[in-house]
Amino acid sequence: VYNSKKWKPATMAEKPEKDFMITLRRLFLAFTLAFLAACSDDNRQTDYIPYVHVNEQINLTNIQYSALRQDRGFVYLNAGLRGLIIIRQSSNRYLAFERNCPFQPYDSCATVKVDASSLFLQDDCCGSQFDFEGAVIAGPANLPLKQYATSLSGNLLYISN
């Protein structure tokens, strides 16, 4: 017995639909490959700063943090990977950055400090410079400093990731 619902030869209407789907898949694959190729840049910095758990609390009334009582004041903390720089932006805004330079972070000398002029942050190893918001102002680094979250509660400043 012949059942017409089980076996049907491809009709002319079904073949173009199948060809269209194959063409659509090929185009999608081609665009995906082109996009991925465009995203790969041999000059792009691929190093990153390893994750280190940070959960610090400092009392701003403590004498060792007196520099944080004025805007653009800073202190160094022994926390994070290579230490932290805490910078006061205003009376209620503090920023915390990892001292590990993002350019070749595995180099033993890749440590950021505040320049003697107190106008910017600098890594003496590679020469990269950063503003007090952590952004690159002079290379070779092309990534900003790793920033940690800060929150102020009364006289206590919390730094965490």
Side-chain angles (χ1 to χ4, degrees):
V1 175
Y2 174 76
N3 185 344
S4 65
K5 290 186 180 181
K6 285 188 178 179
W7 183 83
K8 252 189 186 174
T11 63
M12 293 304 279
E14 291 173 338
K15 187 164 178 14
E17 192 173 293
K18 185 177 180 181
D19 288 344
F20 174 75
M21 291 305 291
I22 291 171
T23 303
L24 191 60
R25 285 183 189 147
R26 286 181 182 161
L27 283 173
F28 176 78
L29 182 61
F31 281 117
T32 302
L33 290 174
F35 177 78
L36 292 175
C39 289
S40 68
D41 180 5
D42 292 338
N43 296 324
R44 186 180 59 204
Q45 183 174 334
T46 57
D47 292 327
Y48 63 95
I49 297 172
Y51 176 85
V52 174
H53 182 73
V54 172
N55 189 16
E56 299 293 321
Q57 164 185 314
I58 62 173
N59 187 331
L60 296 173
T61 60
N62 190 321
I63 192 71
Q64 70 187 36
Y65 305 119
S66 61
L68 295 176
R69 295 182 190 150
Q70 61 188 6
D71 292 352
R72 294 184 62 87
F74 65 91
V75 296
Y76 298 110
L77 283 185
N78 288 325
L81 191 62
R82 299 223 174 150
L84 302 179
I85 300 175
I86 312 302
I87 302 171
R88 175 179 155 153
Q89 296 292 333
S90 65
S91 62
N92 60 357
R93 184 170 182 245
Y94 294 83
L95 300 178
F97 299 104
E98 173 65 49
R99 291 188 66 192
N100 197 164
C101 182
F103 182 77
Q104 299 175 336
Y106 295 103
D107 286 358
S108 60
C109 62
T111 304
V112 175
K113 66 179 185 177
V114 176
D115 183 69
S117 67
S118 293
L119 297 175
F120 55 89
L121 309 172
Q122 180 168 352
D123 174 10
D124 290 334
C125 186
C126 72
S128 295
Q129 296 177 352
F130 306 88
D131 65 16
F132 272 55
E133 301 264 334
V136 177
I137 54 176
N142 58 9
L143 296 174
L145 293 174
K146 182 175 185 173
Q147 186 172 356
Y148 294 98
T150 60
S151 64
L152 185 63
S153 178
N155 290 322
L156 295 178
L157 179 64
Y158 298 93
I159 302 125
S160 61
N161 51 359

